Amino acid sequence: MAVSTSPETPIPVGEVSRLIGGWIERLGAVWVEGQITQLSRRPGAGVVFLTLRDPSHDISVSVTCYRQVFDKVADVVSEGARVVVHAKPEWYAPRGQLSLRAAEIKPVGVGELLARLEQLKKSLAAEGLFAADRKKPLPFLPQLIGLVCGRASAAERDVLENARHRWPAVRFAVRNVPVQGVHAVPQVVAAVQELDALPEVDVIIVARGGGSVEDLLPFSDEQLIRTVSAAVTPVVSAIGHEPDSPLLDLVADLRASTPTDAAKKVVPDVGEELARVQQLRERARRAVDGFLQREERGLASALHRPCIQRPQRMVEDREEQVTALLERGRRTLGHLLDRADSELTHTLARVVALSPKATLERGYAVLQKPDGTAVRSPQEVDADETLRARVAEGGFTVRVDGAPGAATAAE
């Protein structure tokens, strides 16, 4: 419960320590997992002191146990080992220190570690951290390569020497960190984050030589996996040898079987690239030569064509065709005109032969009433009716005689 205090009614340090101790006492015994970083076994002492550290965070706690508790696992437990401790939190009031009093210590076996890694692997895979579509392509020629590795390690030497042998101008930003033990995870994570924040770094290589399962555990840590997954810069995993497969291999953008293999995959070989450039130049030259030769043959073939050697021949041939067509058109038009003229003459003769004028010229006359109507029957006229007689040379009037059918000339 909270303690009521004020500047006027403070409580002594001892009372604060006693209250903290009382709260901690109520926690009860717990099972704690961690990695042993310090181990103190004084000869003749009945108590063993050790420090238990969280491998993923910079947090540690002191642990004490009786010698007979530690002696049960003394042959298999040493500094750097992972253990599970059944302990009760204790508060040492005089110094204000928290520690754990261990009643049982169990080493974490390889089988159990592998089972936990498999469970973590499935969990991270379900989140999509290992998906292929998350992989970022590596640059063809990185200008600056970030390298995270152990200090003066064989992995560092292999990467630097092989990369510079392949491309002497390549530059590295090296971050030396512990690659095993309790300090490995936080420092490797910090190094990756630092290099990822540098815009001039084109790719990051995390390299380490081979080792046991326990030695490679930092590179399967969840915090490191999530850091690499969130990195903007492509990350290459070069941990251990071919059989080794920490979870970092799955989340990295590229897995290299060894540090040497990482150098070969990240840095192109200058000799191979020069040879490839030479091959491409030769291929381009052959392609251009072949194109020019084909065009020259096509041009020569075109120049030997009759239409190119004597271009006016086409016009002459067409001129003859035009002349022949013109003559044919004239003949056809003449025949048509002649035929039309003949038909017109015959038609005109028939019209003339059938015209009333021709009939009049033979001595006939046409009688018309005053309104111009032709008289066709005697019954159409009346006695003493004046009619108009039309003959070939003109006309005159006539008067109808009293009797129907007889008429006399009026003038």
Side-chain angles (χ1 to χ4, degrees):
M1 296 180 63
V3 178
S4 298
T5 60
S6 67
E8 291 76 19
T9 58
I11 59 175
V13 173
E15 182 63 17
V16 173
S17 182
R18 185 187 66 79
L19 291 173
I20 294 175
W23 294 330
I24 292 176
E25 284 288 336
R26 292 196 291 269
L27 291 177
V30 293
W31 284 98
V32 182
E33 181 183 356
Q35 191 172 22
I36 298 176
T37 58
Q38 293 179 359
L39 178 61
S40 176
R41 299 175 61 191
R42 297 188 182 90
V47 179
V48 177
F49 298 90
L50 52 93
T51 301
L52 202 61
R53 189 178 187 281
D54 188 329
S56 301
H57 303 86
D58 192 12
I59 300 174
S60 60
V61 63
S62 298
V63 180
T64 60
C65 65
Y66 293 112
R67 179 175 290 274
Q68 57 268 29
V69 174
F70 186 81
D71 287 343
K72 295 178 181 179
V73 294
D75 296 336
V76 294
V77 169
S78 61
E79 289 189 4
R82 288 203 177 201
V83 295
V84 175
V85 177
H86 189 234
K88 186 177 184 305
E90 290 184 346
W91 179 258
Y92 186 59
R95 293 186 180 179
Q97 292 180 346
L98 174 67
S99 64
L100 299 176
R101 171 70 68 172
E104 185 179 359
I105 299 176
K106 290 184 176 182
V108 178
V110 175
E112 186 175 356
L113 288 175
L114 294 178
R116 293 182 183 179
L117 289 181
E118 186 64 25
Q119 183 178 4
L120 178 61
K121 175 181 175 181
K122 293 180 180 179
S123 175
L124 297 177
E127 294 183 29
L129 268 63
F130 305 150
D133 55 1
R134 294 175 60 94
K135 308 295 183 183
K136 296 178 285 294
L138 270 62
F140 167 70
L141 180 59
Q143 300 299 311
L144 181 63
I145 301 175
L147 176 60
V148 180
C149 60
R151 185 179 301 278
S153 62
E156 178 182 4
R157 183 178 63 255
D158 290 345
V159 173
L160 296 180
E161 289 182 357
N162 283 280
R164 288 168 179 163
H165 176 73
R166 293 172 64 83
W167 199 278
V170 69
R171 297 182 297 118
F172 281 89
V174 182
R175 298 296 183 269
N176 295 122
V177 296
V179 291
Q180 69 181 56
V182 295
H183 301 288
V185 172
Q187 294 198 30
V188 171
V189 168
V192 172
Q193 291 176 341
E194 178 186 354
L195 293 172
D196 185 45
L198 298 177
E200 61 270 18
V201 174
D202 297 320
V203 63
I204 301 172
I205 300 176
V206 181
R208 186 203 190 284
S212 63
V213 175
E214 293 87 345
D215 293 339
L216 300 182
L217 282 178
F219 299 97
S220 294
D221 186 84
E222 182 177 0
Q223 182 184 3
L224 177 59
I225 301 305
R226 294 189 181 278
T227 299
V228 173
S229 176
V232 177
T233 308
V235 178
V236 177
S237 173
I239 306 301
H241 301 296
E242 188 66 37
D244 300 324
S245 56
L247 298 185
L248 180 61
D249 289 348
L250 302 177
V251 74
D253 299 295
L254 178 68
R255 177 190 181 270
S257 57
T258 62
T260 300
D261 184 49
K264 293 180 179 180
K265 290 183 175 179
V266 173
V267 181
D269 184 88
V270 63
E272 294 178 358
E273 297 305 320
L274 289 175
R276 186 175 291 109
V277 170
Q278 185 62 29
Q279 292 174 359
L280 292 175
R281 292 179 63 184
E282 291 296 331
R283 181 179 175 183
R285 184 180 293 109
R286 289 194 299 270
V288 173
D289 289 343
F291 174 78
L292 291 177
Q293 291 176 6
R294 288 193 302 272
E295 295 301 317
E296 287 178 352
R297 289 194 296 269
L299 181 60
S301 176
L303 291 176
H304 284 83
R305 293 179 180 177
C307 62
I308 298 298
Q309 292 183 342
R310 189 185 171 192
Q312 68 273 15
R313 180 178 178 179
M314 183 181 299
V315 177
E316 293 173 355
D317 293 343
R318 295 295 182 268
E319 182 182 9
E320 294 177 358
Q321 294 179 5
V322 170
T323 302
L325 291 173
L326 182 60
E327 292 296 330
R328 180 180 176 183
R330 286 176 177 174
R331 288 194 301 271
T332 301
L333 181 60
H335 293 329
L336 292 174
L337 292 176
D338 292 342
R339 184 182 302 171
D341 182 67
S342 177
E343 291 178 353
L344 182 61
T345 301
H346 285 85
T347 301
L348 181 60
R350 288 199 302 271
V351 170
V352 171
L354 297 175
S355 67
K357 184 178 180 181
T359 302
L360 295 177
E361 288 178 351
R362 291 199 296 271
Y364 292 92
V366 178
L367 296 178
Q368 295 177 321
K369 289 187 174 186
D371 59 358
T373 304
V375 179
R376 293 180 176 82
S377 172
Q379 286 75 21
E380 294 180 355
V381 298
D382 299 325
D384 298 328
E385 183 180 359
T386 301
L387 301 177
R388 178 72 177 174
R390 183 178 179 183
V391 294
E393 298 299 329
F396 54 89
T397 58
V398 296
R399 183 173 53 84
V400 178
D401 193 6
T408 57
E411 54 178 282

